[in-house]
Amino acid sequence: MIGPGTGVRVYLACGVTDMRKGIEGLAALARDVLRQKPASGAVFAFRGRRGDRLKLLYWDGQGFCLYYKILERGRFPWPGSSEGSMRLTSAQLAMLWEGIDWRRPDWGAPPARVG
């Protein structure tokens, strides 16, 4: 994904977001609901009602970037809380963007030790 690198602050907006909102509407949510500065360089993640749509809002220093993804199958993993926000790591954001459940990733069994 083109965008913010590792170490960026990530805020996930719990609950449901109207996916008709564009940059201005999402920036207002980041400011008014999440109580964060939209142009701070953090990434703000929003999910729609059906769970198959995800928008990321990010200020890159020159302007806002809006990333939008719709899954063909499945839903993006999301916390059960209906309001507020959660902090994610950049690694968790990468898993979220790929549709992987960042809350409990399945890394598989550790390799067998030889010797």
Side-chain angles (χ1 to χ4, degrees):
M1 175 175 96
I2 300 171
T6 59
V8 69
R9 290 180 331 277
V10 179
Y11 296 93
L12 186 143
C14 297
V16 174
T17 299
D18 181 351
M19 288 288 104
R20 296 174 293 182
K21 290 188 183 297
I23 290 173
E24 295 297 324
L26 295 174
L29 287 177
R31 183 185 60 246
D32 300 337
V33 176
L34 303 179
R35 304 278 189 240
Q36 300 295 322
K37 292 182 180 178
S40 66
V43 174
F44 300 95
F46 305 91
R47 190 183 84 156
R49 181 168 306 284
R50 293 190 314 218
D52 65 340
R53 296 160 198 268
L54 182 71
K55 285 187 177 182
L56 303 179
L57 181 68
Y58 170 65
W59 174 265
D60 71 355
Q62 296 179 317
F64 282 107
C65 301
L66 182 62
Y67 302 92
Y68 187 34
K69 186 168 185 175
I70 302 172
L71 291 177
E72 290 288 320
R73 283 180 272 121
R75 299 167 54 118
F76 288 103
W78 214 249
S81 176
S82 62
E83 50 185 69
S85 67
M86 290 185 68
R87 285 282 305 263
L88 299 183
T89 66
S90 53
Q92 289 171 320
L93 174 63
M95 288 187 280
L96 173 63
W97 188 253
E98 294 301 324
I100 299 169
D101 193 343
W102 50 270
R103 297 167 296 184
R104 51 188 181 308
D106 182 11
W107 301 117
R113 294 183 63 173
V114 177

